[in-house]
Amino acid sequence: MSPEPTSLLQGTLDLLILKSLIAGEMHGLGISRRIQQITGGTFVVKPGSLFPALHRMEEEGWISSFWGESENNRRAKYYRLCKAGLKQLEVETERWGRISWAIAQALEVS
Amino acid sequence: MPLFVKARSFLRNLFLSHRVEVDLDQEVHSHLGLLTEENIRAGMSPEEAQRAARIELGGIEQVKEQVREAGLGNWLHSVVSDCRYGLRQLRKNPGATAVMVFTLALAIGATTAIFSVVYGVLLRPLPYTDANRIMAVFEVSSEGHRSHLADPNFDDFRDQNRSFQAIAKYNDDVVSVSGTSQPTRTTIAGVSPEFLKVFGVQPVLGRDFSASDARKGASPTVLVSYGYWRQHLESGQDLPQLHLKIAGALYSVIGVLPPEFRFPKDVDLWLPTDLGGESQSRTSHNYLAVGRLRDGVTVRQANGDISAIARRIHETSSEQGEYLLKDGIVLPLQDSITGEARPALLILLGAVGFLLLVACANVANLLLAQASVRERELAIRSALGAARGRLIRQFLTEAFLLSLVGGGLGVLGALAGVTGLIALAPVNLPRLDSVSVNIPVLLFALLLSTAVAAGLGAFTAIRATSGDLREGLEEGGRGQAGSQGSQRVGRILVAAQIAITLVLVVGAGLLGRSLLKVLEVNPGFRVDRIVTMDVSLPWMEDPQAKASQGIFYSNLIDRLKQIPGVRKVGAVSNLPMEGGLPDGMFFLMTQNEIPNTDAGFAALLQQKERLGNADFGVATDGYFQVLGIPLIRGRLFDEHDGPDSPHVAVISESLARDRWPNQDPIGHTIEFGNMDGDLRLLTIVGIVGDIHDYGLDAPPRPTVYVNLFQRPRAAITVTMLSDADTGSVTSAARGILQDLDPEIPTRFRTFTQVYSASLGSRRFNVILIGSFGITALLLATAGVFGVMAYSVSRRTREIGVRVALGAGSRDVLRMILNQGLRTIFIGVAMGIAGSLALTRTVESLLFGVTATDPLTFGGVTLLLVGAALLACFIPARRATKVDPLVALRYE
């Protein structure tokens, strides 16, 4: 079964979450801050979008979760990338590349 | 594997929902903690940090709800919780819920029951292979009516058509059959050899007719129905041993047909036609015909084909005149069987559909009233993160619960209702045996309930969730203003209800008045205290044998007269109200004018002044006395009119008037030989009163009666006028007949039964549409009451203020009644307009009233306005009792 492409906006969020998890397992706030960091502060993901996306992606089998301790000994739910998630990241990356190229092309034509 | 992971999540969400919930809760709270910590690290005070964290999170419950919405299988979960919540809501208001469920059950049940009749009669395919390829073939008479086929015409259709792979003619009759344990009156069909091929039916035992079985002079053979074979032939396997004596002749049983095959209706025995040779006349319409279309041939093509053949016959035949066909027509057999019942059944379906609408309006009103009470609850749920879609779904769920429970109960009711309908249905309603609550009917009920649920749910949901729900949280004030909109909708619903009810009751009224008008018609005969007795002797061609049958009947009648309590006895070929008498053309002529060749008769057909048209009845003098048909002039048959004396006839008043205007027909002679093959002249000796032979709603037909003892026939109905009770007369008469000939079966009925059966369809329609109308009236009245009572209770405070400011109880009464009257007036106006537009559809069922009968319209309007006003009056009275102090302290 090949991973199905998701809709543009949702796909972008998924891509960012998957990308940030490449660096290793992380809790929700960590992912949120990581996205903020890697996008140079352009994307601020609110919990209202983040958590539904995380749960959905977990149900898709792209990521898995476990309870762990935060740096300050606070119990937090951590997420890590699964094999399927890695594959999905490739698909989404490739797709994003295509889209951004296409849009760049479109904007160049005056 | 992702699929496995998905399935696991799905099941987890579904069955471990509690753990999932706790997990989610902890996760969101831990997130909040992390955020707060981060803020503190950034230098905020703990309180500030917490506040900022909460703002960033945006509401714990909302986030949780958003996650839930995204969850796999969650919709199912939330449906379950919606249902649970819905059930709780419905239980909270047990009275209203019971009323709604009952109303829906009644309406869905009634609609389902009527639909099961419509489906069984009109829609369900006939039980034959590719039944839609089976056609009925008719001649078209010079007047444009469908008519039976004459032998040579059928032969031409059969031999010249290119449209049918098989075509057969048939007729049916009730005859005496013996040779089994007990003689029976059995319905038989004479059929041509391809009959079973048309239906694609094979005998389950034995063989089909071959062409040689149908040849003139072939040894008589018969096919028997499965039921007859089981019941009367003890399921005998050895067919060559089985013989039946049918109408006096011995037939060999050659085959048994499958259990489901019964065509024409109620037939048990199928015999080949034409064993005695075919008629050569193109104007003796003796047969019906069926055919199976060839593959690829359309009904339209077949019609063109048959029509061309028929018109060719019309142009070339030597037998010109009004009894010669003008055209031919082909239509699907199913349409030809059910065509006459169609309009009335569709009207019934429409009527019950109206009832359903009225019922739905009531339920919608109740739901609306509940929804407005729930405004606060909705506001709270929406504040806690429920999306509008989620709230709409809640309403839909509740509506579905209501409708499905109502529909389920309705189907149970329909099961009983269908049995009742079948019992109530008029005898002439075709295909009643195929009416049942079956899978398609159940699907219909399910679909109907779903549609009702979707309609009601969407309606209330959209009404209740429009506008800014959060306003509902604001205390007080809104209590009245907010419900203004839903009250207006409620009143519109009630107006629509009144309108629909008015249409329904007007329809019922028109049909009811028609029935009364029909009952007012003087049938021209007496109905009560008459016992009838059907007797069939074998059909005989030989004049000698026929004469002996005349003597047999004469003996029978003489002996029946001896039964104690029996005052008069007569006999007739066909009872009135049972489909009428055969009709034909007669000639006015004297003895020396009788032509002795066919060509001579054909020439006479051109002399219009010699022709007459009448129904042909065979009767005894006693028949007129038993039925009280008055002798207007001349005499009835008497003992001098023996078989060898000049044959006489008695004619009906309308025939005398129409055919012999300004003349005395008595003493004139006519020749009516094409009805019974007897060419002897008939001398008119008397004129009797007209009778409504074809039913009270059909005009009397001109009729010629001949004397049974001069023109004997095989099958008659004996009529006995008696003071004794029916049972004793019946058993005495049965004994006498058995004494004369033990092989002749009979059937007894009272003439009242025959007469009231003829009113069956009318009564059926009146009872059904009437009860739908009454139910709708009750529902609409309840609807008016509900809306008014609700409005008064909502306006208690306002009324209190008015009273406190000096309004008298009369003012309050007038205010409330005015409000109700406006609604009623709008409803009635719409209803009258609707009725004027729609009663046209029942025009064909009316008798003696027009579709716009002012009396019916006026009466129904008064009735409806009266009922609605009464329904307004009670809440209005309650409004006048409002105590301003109590009202103002309220809330």
Side-chain angles (χ1 to χ4, degrees):
Chain A
M1 220 174 79
S2 71
E4 287 168 33
T6 41
S7 79
L8 183 57
L9 215 62
Q10 199 186 2
T12 314
L13 180 57
D14 292 0
L15 176 63
L16 290 173
I17 293 173
L18 292 169
K19 184 75 188 172
S20 55
L21 282 174
I22 281 275
E25 50 204 43
M26 236 176 268
H27 53 60
L29 185 63
I31 296 171
S32 169
R33 294 293 174 249
R34 174 82 180 151
I35 290 175
Q36 212 170 335
Q37 181 196 347
I38 60 179
T39 60
T42 311
F43 281 91
V44 181
V45 186
K46 291 258 170 160
S49 323
L50 179 70
F51 284 109
L54 285 173
H55 282 250
R56 184 170 40 71
M57 290 166 74
E58 189 182 359
E59 282 170 356
E60 295 283 351
W62 299 339
I63 57 179
S64 62
S65 68
F66 61 94
W67 283 97
E69 299 260 313
S70 78
E71 48 271 39
N72 297 333
N73 298 332
R74 184 176 278 280
R75 243 170 74 81
K77 201 170 180 186
Y78 279 79
Y79 292 89
R80 77 159 78 91
L81 211 52
C82 295
K83 240 188 222 157
L86 214 54
K87 203 162 164 200
Q88 182 72 17
L89 178 58
E90 278 168 35
V91 171
E92 295 285 342
T93 311
E94 200 250 347
R95 197 173 71 103
W96 181 254
R98 236 183 15 244
I99 290 168
S100 59
W101 181 81
I103 291 187
Q105 286 288 308
L107 293 178
E108 264 173 37
V109 179
S110 51
Chain B
M1 285 284 98
L3 195 65
F4 170 72
V5 176
K6 268 189 200 182
R8 202 182 50 189
S9 311
F10 181 73
L11 295 174
R12 208 169 83 100
N13 284 343
L14 213 53
F15 296 109
L16 301 174
S17 54
H18 182 65
R19 201 185 297 170
V20 173
E21 274 296 305
V22 170
D23 203 60
L24 181 60
D25 187 62
Q26 288 178 352
E27 182 174 11
V28 176
H29 274 104
S30 112
H31 188 87
L32 193 65
L34 288 170
L35 269 176
T36 314
E37 257 172 42
E38 198 182 64
N39 288 342
I40 290 173
R41 269 203 307 274
M44 292 187 193
S45 72
E47 294 80 38
E48 220 176 328
Q50 193 143 28
R51 212 176 100 80
R54 272 190 195 279
I55 289 170
E56 187 174 344
L57 187 72
I60 294 176
E61 286 307 315
Q62 274 99 328
V63 172
K64 277 158 75 174
E65 183 63 23
Q66 274 161 326
V67 172
R68 280 186 214 120
E69 292 280 336
L72 261 180
N74 236 325
W75 58 271
L76 193 63
H77 196 66
S78 63
V79 164
V80 171
S81 77
D82 276 354
C83 282
R84 218 180 281 145
Y85 186 75
L87 279 178
R88 208 159 50 217
Q89 276 298 328
L90 294 176
R91 262 209 306 268
K92 227 191 304 182
N93 260 320
T97 303
V99 168
M100 289 191 284
V101 166
F102 176 76
T103 308
L104 287 174
L106 185 77
I108 293 175
T111 312
T112 305
I114 295 294
F115 178 78
S116 70
V117 174
V118 169
Y119 176 78
V121 174
L122 298 182
L123 302 177
R124 192 180 196 174
L126 295 171
Y128 314 117
T129 336
D130 293 331
N132 59 343
R133 308 293 293 163
I134 304 177
M135 300 290 133
V137 183
F138 293 97
E139 290 185 4
V140 176
S141 73
S142 57
E143 289 169 326
H145 300 305
R146 282 180 221 155
S147 85
H148 286 48
L149 286 75
D151 274 327
N153 297 343
F154 171 78
D155 291 348
D156 286 354
F157 286 177
R158 181 192 57 206
D159 300 336
Q160 296 172 19
N161 86 78
R162 290 179 309 256
S163 311
F164 293 98
Q165 48 175 293
I167 183 167
K169 62 179 178 182
Y170 65 94
N171 58 12
D172 59 3
D173 200 359
V174 179
V175 298
S176 305
V177 177
S178 55
T180 58
S181 46
Q182 206 174 0
T184 52
R185 284 174 59 81
T186 304
T187 310
I188 64 163
V191 301
S192 61
E194 286 191 321
F195 188 73
L196 291 188
K197 285 187 198 70
V198 170
F199 291 94
V201 166
Q202 294 276 333
V204 288
L205 184 68
R207 63 175 180 87
D208 190 1
F209 291 126
S210 66
S212 62
D213 289 320
R215 227 158 262 152
K216 183 177 177 179
S219 81
T221 47
V222 60
L223 292 166
V224 302
S225 75
Y226 193 81
Y228 191 87
W229 177 64
R230 293 282 300 266
Q231 200 187 335
H232 296 285
L233 298 172
E234 279 91 35
S235 307
Q237 296 291 324
D238 191 10
L239 293 184
Q241 297 298 313
L242 299 179
H243 297 278
L244 290 172
K245 199 170 171 190
I246 302 169
L250 205 60
Y251 283 73
S252 319
V253 176
I254 57 164
V256 179
L257 297 189
E260 64 278 12
F261 189 75
R262 269 329 254 298
F263 187 90
K265 197 178 178 223
D266 298 335
V267 165
D268 272 320
L269 305 172
W270 291 263
L271 342 164
T273 55
D274 305 331
L275 292 181
E278 281 195 15
S279 154
Q280 295 306 307
S281 162
R282 287 195 184 273
T283 53
S284 301
H285 305 273
N286 295 323
Y287 290 99
L288 290 164
V290 283
R292 179 178 285 272
L293 291 179
R294 276 182 206 284
D295 292 339
V297 174
T298 64
V299 180
R300 177 194 283 263
Q301 287 165 340
N303 245 314
D305 191 9
I306 290 295
S307 174
I309 301 169
R311 285 201 302 265
R312 206 151 55 226
I313 297 171
H314 175 73
E315 278 154 27
T316 57
S317 169
S318 60
E319 297 179 59
Q320 294 298 322
E322 63 175 303
Y323 282 92
L324 185 68
L325 82 179
K326 187 179 75 182
D327 204 342
I329 188 171
V330 172
L331 70 162
L333 181 62
Q334 183 155 6
D335 295 356
S336 106
I337 294 174
T338 58
E340 280 183 29
R342 178 181 294 268
L345 283 183
L346 293 183
I347 286 168
L348 279 183
L349 191 63
V352 82
F354 276 15
L355 175 63
L356 181 70
L357 287 179
V358 171
C360 285
N362 257 16
V363 175
N365 251 335
L366 280 171
L367 283 175
L368 267 189
Q370 289 193 342
S372 59
V373 173
R374 284 164 66 181
E375 266 163 16
R376 267 175 78 102
E377 168 218 325
L378 293 178
I380 290 169
R381 287 188 69 181
S382 127
L384 288 179
R388 180 159 184 236
R390 191 65 209 283
L391 293 180
I392 288 178
R393 210 168 65 191
Q394 178 65 48
F395 278 101
L396 280 175
T397 309
E398 284 175 37
F400 266 92
L401 286 173
L402 276 179
S403 309
L404 289 182
V405 173
L409 290 176
V411 166
L412 290 182
L415 284 173
V418 165
T419 321
L421 281 178
I422 291 175
L424 192 67
V427 282
N428 61 355
L429 189 63
R431 302 193 69 201
L432 257 191
D433 51 340
S434 87
V435 172
S436 63
V437 178
N438 42 33
I439 302 285
V441 170
L442 288 177
L443 277 179
F444 170 83
L446 183 66
L447 218 69
L448 187 69
S449 310
T450 312
V452 165
L456 286 177
F459 177 76
T460 32
I462 288 164
R463 283 298 317 160
T465 60
S466 61
D468 190 353
L469 287 164
R470 250 148 270 212
E471 276 177 29
L473 275 180
E474 291 159 22
E475 193 61 41
R478 193 171 148 81
Q480 284 151 23
S483 58
Q484 213 76 53
S486 77
Q487 280 197 41
R488 203 185 59 231
V489 173
R491 282 205 293 274
I492 292 172
L493 278 177
V494 165
Q497 250 182 332
I498 291 177
I500 296 171
T501 303
L502 191 104
V503 175
L504 204 47
V505 180
V506 162
L510 289 173
L511 292 177
R513 285 227 337 134
S514 298
L515 180 61
L516 291 179
K517 289 265 184 194
V518 166
L519 290 173
E520 273 171 25
V521 171
N522 176 9
F525 50 77
R526 168 196 304 137
V527 176
D528 56 328
R529 292 191 294 135
I530 298 173
V531 178
T532 71
M533 172 184 181
D534 301 325
V535 186
S536 300
L537 296 177
W539 196 80
M540 297 287 178
E541 193 97 46
D542 173 47
Q544 213 60 45
K546 273 178 122 174
S548 72
Q549 292 186 340
I551 295 167
F552 177 87
Y553 284 133
S554 168
N555 286 337
L556 177 65
I557 290 169
D558 282 343
R559 290 197 50 186
L560 291 173
K561 283 180 185 161
Q562 312 298 319
I563 298 175
V566 170
R567 294 205 283 135
K568 300 252 190 268
V569 180
V572 70
S573 47
N574 300 80
L575 281 176
M577 308 297 189
E578 289 223 287
L581 299 165
D583 70 317
M585 210 173 346
F586 61 85
F587 296 106
L588 279 65
M589 59 171 66
T590 56
Q591 189 62 42
N592 49 17
E593 289 170 329
I594 300 178
N596 37 22
T597 59
D598 282 351
F601 273 109
L604 279 179
L605 285 171
Q606 304 308 318
Q607 307 180 25
K608 291 268 181 275
E609 72 283 0
R610 283 189 178 279
L611 299 180
N613 207 325
D615 284 4
F616 180 81
V618 183
T620 68
D621 56 331
Y623 168 71
F624 302 100
Q625 294 161 353
V626 171
L627 265 69
I629 300 171
L631 175 69
I632 289 170
R633 229 136 38 75
R635 64 173 179 90
L636 294 175
F637 311 129
D638 62 29
E639 64 274 18
H640 305 296
D641 300 320
D644 301 318
S645 42
H647 285 195
V648 294
V650 166
I651 64 173
S652 70
E653 199 180 357
S654 56
L655 180 61
R657 194 178 51 231
D658 296 347
R659 193 59 198 79
W660 287 274
N662 314 318
Q663 277 183 66
D664 188 357
I666 291 177
H668 284 256
T669 51
I670 59 170
E671 196 280 321
F672 213 161
N674 63 342
M675 301 310 289
D676 61 356
D678 194 329
L679 294 182
R680 278 176 280 186
L681 289 183
L682 296 160
T683 307
I684 297 169
V685 294
I687 300 169
V688 293
D690 282 325
I691 61 168
H692 288 266
D693 215 359
Y694 283 78
L696 295 173
D697 42 6
R701 301 257 312 159
T703 309
V704 171
Y705 298 96
V706 298
N707 187 347
L708 176 69
F709 302 129
Q710 293 181 325
R711 302 283 181 102
R713 56 175 276 129
I716 60 158
T717 300
V718 178
T719 53
M720 292 172 275
L721 180 65
S722 109
D723 298 325
D725 73 279
T726 310
S728 67
V729 172
T730 303
S731 63
R734 195 188 301 278
I736 290 168
L737 182 66
Q738 256 173 10
D739 193 34
L740 285 173
D741 187 339
E743 295 231 316
I744 299 171
T746 182
R747 170 171 69 156
F748 291 97
R749 285 175 297 174
T750 63
F751 192 44
T752 315
Q753 285 171 338
V754 177
Y755 177 79
S756 66
S758 76
L759 294 167
S761 325
R762 233 170 240 295
R763 202 178 293 127
F764 185 63
N765 294 337
V766 169
I767 290 176
L768 287 183
I769 297 190
S771 47
F772 298 158
I774 290 170
T775 313
L777 184 64
L778 291 177
L779 288 174
T781 311
V784 173
F785 176 78
V787 163
M788 293 307 295
Y790 180 65
S791 152
V792 166
S793 76
R794 278 262 148 158
R795 291 171 72 179
T796 305
R797 246 169 85 174
E798 177 207 326
I799 294 167
V801 171
R802 281 173 191 269
V803 173
L805 292 178
S809 65
R810 188 177 285 255
D811 301 316
V812 173
L813 194 69
R814 193 180 305 130
M815 178 181 82
I816 301 290
L817 281 183
N818 265 345
Q819 179 195 338
L821 266 178
R822 230 186 3 250
T823 311
I824 296 169
F825 177 76
I826 293 169
V828 165
M830 289 196 301
I832 289 176
S835 302
L836 287 174
L838 284 172
T839 47
R840 231 177 296 259
T841 55
V842 297
E843 208 149 31
S844 66
L845 302 181
L846 298 184
F847 179 83
V849 291
T850 59
T852 54
D853 181 42
L855 192 63
T856 310
F857 273 70
V860 169
T861 306
L862 274 182
L863 175 73
L864 211 64
V865 170
L869 268 183
L870 196 68
C872 287
F873 189 70
I874 298 167
R877 286 260 312 174
R878 197 182 302 154
T880 63
K881 299 263 156 53
V882 166
D883 179 347
L885 277 179
V886 176
L888 292 175
R889 215 177 285 147
Y890 177 75
E891 281 191 20

